[in-house]
Amino acid sequence: MQKRIAIVGGGIVGATAAYYLSKLPGSEKIKVTLFDDGVGQASKAAAGIISPWLSKRRNQQWYRLAKAGADLYPELIHDAQLGTDVYQQTGTIVTREDEADLETLFALAQDRRKTAATMGDVTTLTAQEVQDQVPLLTAPQPGVLITGGARVDGGALVEGLLASASKRNLKISHERVKLNAQGQVITSLGARQFDRVILAVGAWLKELVAPLGVNADIRPQKGQLIELAVKDYPLQEHMPVVMPEGERDFVPFGHGKLIVGATHENDGKFDISVNPEVTADLLGSAQRLVKSVTADSLTGVRVGTRAYTSDFAPFFGLVPEHEDFLVASGLGSSGLTTGPQIGKFLAGSALYGGTPDWSQYEKPLTTYLASSAE
């Protein structure tokens, strides 16, 4: 009899888990159903930078997880046969106006590179050299170039992974589901029982696990970014992404497409409507970097909802006292970096069982999940 596994949530964690559940040894013995209504998902709205190595976060568990996620990407993209429109190691440039700050940043990069071969080469660039690398910029600052940095389109990545898994053992149900106190998944066709359930709904986790008597330390945050049409330089798809000091992230894609953002709007919560004032702020950031950009350059706006914990750290693993359930949430703005590695971890656990030790990557789950009776 085939084992039945459910995934609730089709973002970066759910999609990667589904992909590995279709690829890992033994996948031919399972059936996977993914439930997702597609509303507000952070991953599908995101386009970001995979370059965790210069983060100044003091949380070393997060850094190890983010580094592992960056290391996984080339293998995942190759194995899933996804193209450069989804992910490409273009390099990343982190800029600093002050010379002393630039030297400090470079020293940090050199130190981190000792244990992170994926970083590639690390060099300092003058403002002119930054502009030579990214000719779109009209007001460049000096910076540090990390050749192993990359850009990724979250929506295209999720779509590609789910399409691959759907060719094997994945069925996708486009609906929002709930859980009941008996641990069943309540669908539009009634209650269904699964052998294992992966809960990867991000900011919606608190509501989802409440019937299990579990309280989750999760809050929502709105994020918005803009897409712009800019001059299509030759080989633009190879331009490094830029993390400019004092401005929004600057992510050039090929064929004259530029993405700028994203915002961090705590008051926005689950609101996924476009905020014209925020759009204007993002456009202003773009114009300070590229003088030719105008309101007419705007081609699209993406909005999604991220999930955060009180200490801004992600968590994942077996739900305490409900070990048929695996969970992941709290990825925040680093979801595209950490999500694939978390999804792979959860897929392996759902398929093979056991109690893996992930303590090098996170605090105990009881830090974030507690019995609502307490």
Side-chain angles (χ1 to χ4, degrees):
M1 183 175 180
Q2 286 188 312
K3 186 176 181 179
R4 297 190 301 170
I5 297 176
I7 301 172
V8 185
I12 188 63
V13 173
T16 310
Y19 172 77
Y20 280 108
L21 283 169
S22 74
K23 288 285 192 176
L24 290 171
S27 61
E28 69 280 359
K29 298 179 181 179
I30 61 173
K31 288 184 177 181
V32 183
T33 305
L34 184 144
F35 300 95
D36 189 290
D37 66 356
V39 176
Q41 187 186 105
S43 303
K44 289 182 179 178
I49 299 172
I50 308 302
S51 187
W53 306 288
L54 299 189
S55 172
K56 293 185 178 179
R57 286 199 195 194
R58 295 181 179 180
N59 184 337
Q60 289 302 304
Q61 290 166 309
W62 174 88
Y63 177 68
R64 285 190 288 269
L65 178 63
K67 186 162 74 73
D71 291 345
L72 178 64
Y73 257 101
E75 172 192 315
L76 173 62
I77 297 299
H78 176 269
D79 291 349
Q81 299 182 4
L82 301 178
T84 56
D85 57 327
V86 175
Y87 168 90
Q88 188 169 10
Q89 283 186 306
T90 56
T92 55
I93 298 174
V94 184
T95 69
R96 292 291 184 271
E97 188 66 43
D98 183 81
E99 185 176 346
D101 290 345
L102 190 65
E103 291 176 356
T104 300
L105 190 68
F106 181 61
L108 174 62
Q110 288 181 308
D111 182 62
R112 292 276 173 86
R113 189 173 179 271
K114 295 174 184 176
T115 57
T118 312
M119 285 180 68
D121 297 326
V122 176
T123 56
T124 56
L125 302 177
T126 65
Q128 181 58 54
E129 288 171 332
V130 170
Q131 189 169 40
D132 291 342
Q133 292 272 346
V134 191
L136 279 171
L137 294 171
T138 52
Q141 297 174 326
V144 173
L145 169 65
I146 302 169
T147 60
R151 58 161 169 76
V152 62
D153 186 315
L157 175 59
V158 165
E159 183 179 337
L161 294 174
L162 292 178
S164 178
S166 295
K167 295 176 182 177
R168 295 175 175 84
N169 60 358
L170 174 67
K171 177 183 177 181
I172 300 175
S173 180
H174 298 285
E175 63 173 307
R176 186 171 184 176
V177 298
K178 298 180 180 180
L179 304 178
N180 63 18
Q182 290 73 45
Q184 295 173 309
V185 179
I186 308 304
T187 75
S188 58
L189 298 177
R192 295 182 60 185
Q193 189 74 43
F194 292 88
D195 297 292
R196 304 299 293 276
V197 181
I198 296 174
L199 306 177
V201 295
W204 288 266
L205 183 68
K206 192 178 188 73
E207 175 186 352
L208 184 64
V209 297
L212 298 178
V214 175
N215 183 51
D217 172 21
I218 284 296
R219 64 176 175 84
Q221 182 193 76
K222 182 178 181 179
Q224 183 171 312
L225 54 76
I226 58 173
E227 297 180 6
L228 299 163
V230 293
K231 182 178 178 181
D232 186 5
Y233 286 86
L235 300 178
Q236 182 181 354
E237 64 270 22
H238 300 295
M239 283 186 194
V241 294
V242 183
M243 303 170 75
E245 184 176 22
E247 299 293 351
R248 309 293 185 180
D249 289 342
F250 185 92
V251 188
F253 281 77
H255 310 296
K257 177 181 174 181
L258 173 66
I259 287 180
V260 177
T263 60
H264 295 77
E265 304 167 50
N266 290 319
D267 293 338
K269 297 183 179 180
F270 292 103
D271 176 17
I272 57 171
S273 63
V274 174
N275 185 326
E277 293 181 2
V278 173
T279 301
D281 177 72
L282 289 168
L283 182 62
S285 183
Q287 290 171 325
R288 288 188 287 275
L289 297 167
V290 184
K291 291 182 180 178
S292 60
V293 167
T294 68
D296 291 335
S297 306
L298 187 67
T299 58
V301 182
R302 304 187 192 184
V303 184
T305 304
R306 306 184 189 94
Y308 278 93
T309 58
S310 295
D311 63 2
F312 300 93
F315 63 86
F316 58 96
L318 301 173
V319 177
E321 299 181 16
H322 300 276
E323 295 191 351
D324 288 340
F325 289 86
L326 295 105
V327 66
S329 193
L331 278 64
S333 59
S334 63
L336 289 179
T337 301
T338 60
Q341 184 62 71
I342 292 173
K344 184 178 183 181
F345 282 151
L346 295 184
S349 181
L351 184 55
Y352 305 126
T355 53
D357 180 6
W358 292 316
S359 58
Q360 65 173 312
Y361 301 115
E362 61 173 344
K363 296 177 183 177
L365 257 68
T366 51
T367 308
Y368 311 101
L369 299 177
S371 170
S372 56
E374 295 179 1

